[in-house]
Amino acid sequence: MKVVAFNGSARKKGNTRILIDIVLDVLKKEDIETEVVNLAGKKIRGCTACMQCFEKRDQTCSGVYDFINDCIAKMIRADGMILASPTYFANVSTEMKALVDRAGMVAFANPGLMRYKAGAAITVAQRTGASQALMALNTFFTCFEMFIVGSNYPNMALGLDKGDVEKDAQGLETMKVLGRNMAFLLKKITG
C-alpha cells in the first residue's frame, strides 16, 4: 500500500508540511509506504482547456508540459492520496488549484482512473476559510469515486507563522486520528 501526499504550500517545511508529516508518521507505523510531493518552487500552470486529454485519453495532461504529469502518475499508482493546502483567501493555493484542475480533467477524460482510492484533504488557516478550502479538495475526491477519509473533527488546523500549528492541540490530534482512519480504510480496500 502507498499514500502520496501533495503539499500545496509555498513553504516546503511550513505548517502544511507539519500536518502532513503527522499523518504520514501514523501511516508508516502501519507499514504503509508514503511519499511527499512539494508543489513549492515548481513551475505549474493551470488548465488551458485545450481538451487534448479527452482526445488522447492517455492518462496525461497533453496541453502543458510541466511537473503535473509526474503528479498524476503518482496519483494513479497510489492507493491513497493526501491533498494539503494552506488557505489563501478562503481557498487552496494556486499550485494546488492547478494540480486539482488538471488532474481532474485527466481523470474525467479517463473514467475510473481514481476510483476506489482513499483521499484525505488537509487545510491550514490563520483564522477562517479552512472549511471552504477543505470542501474544494474533497470535491476532487467525490468527482472521481474516491473514498474520503475523515477524522474526529474537520481535517484542518490553525496557524500563520511556521510552527504555529504545533500550538493547536485539537488540530494535531485531528491529524493523528486522520492517519489512523486512513490506515484502517486502506487495509479494507486493498485487503
Side-chain angles (χ1 to χ4, degrees):
M1 289 177 285
K2 182 170 184 179
V3 171
V4 60
F6 296 93
N7 180 2
S9 176
R11 300 175 184 157
K12 291 181 183 179
K13 302 265 186 193
N15 288 318
T16 305
R17 180 60 186 262
I18 291 168
L19 299 179
I20 291 169
D21 286 343
I22 291 169
V23 176
L24 296 186
D25 286 345
V26 174
L27 294 174
K28 289 174 192 171
K29 289 177 185 169
E30 295 288 332
D31 294 322
I32 296 170
E33 184 183 349
T34 65
E35 178 181 3
V36 177
V37 177
N38 290 302
L39 302 182
K42 305 291 186 195
K43 293 186 188 274
I44 302 172
R45 294 216 25 214
C47 180
T48 62
C50 70
M51 307 308 281
Q52 289 182 40
C53 54
F54 282 90
E55 291 175 27
K56 295 183 179 180
R57 296 187 192 275
D58 63 357
Q59 302 180 352
T60 65
C61 178
S62 305
V64 181
Y65 298 97
D66 61 15
F67 179 68
I68 294 293
N69 278 330
D70 293 336
C71 295
I72 294 169
K74 290 175 187 295
M75 289 177 170
I76 293 167
R77 288 191 300 268
D79 301 296
M81 72 181 78
I82 295 169
L83 298 177
S85 180
T87 303
Y88 295 161
F89 294 94
N91 210 326
V92 297
S93 68
T94 56
E95 294 83 3
M96 181 57 70
K97 182 66 172 135
L99 174 64
V100 167
D101 286 353
R102 289 179 51 207
M105 287 297 281
V106 170
F108 276 132
N110 297 272
L113 196 61
M114 307 289 177
R115 183 181 293 141
Y116 305 144
K117 294 178 184 289
I122 297 172
T123 60
V124 181
Q126 175 189 2
R127 182 174 298 284
T128 188
S131 294
Q132 294 94 307
L134 196 65
M135 180 58 75
L137 297 174
N138 282 334
T139 298
F140 177 87
F141 303 138
T142 61
C143 285
F144 305 113
E145 302 176 70
M146 294 177 66
F147 301 112
I148 295 175
V149 184
S151 185
N152 58 349
Y153 195 77
N155 304 345
M156 60 182 74
L158 298 176
L160 175 62
D161 295 324
K162 183 179 176 183
D164 278 355
V165 294
E166 293 172 331
K167 301 171 195 166
D168 182 0
Q170 185 174 21
L172 299 178
E173 181 61 22
T174 298
M175 295 306 125
K176 291 175 187 172
V177 174
L178 177 61
R180 290 195 301 267
N181 290 349
M182 190 166 211
F184 175 85
L185 180 59
L186 284 167
K187 289 176 182 179
K188 293 294 183 185
I189 62 178
T190 62

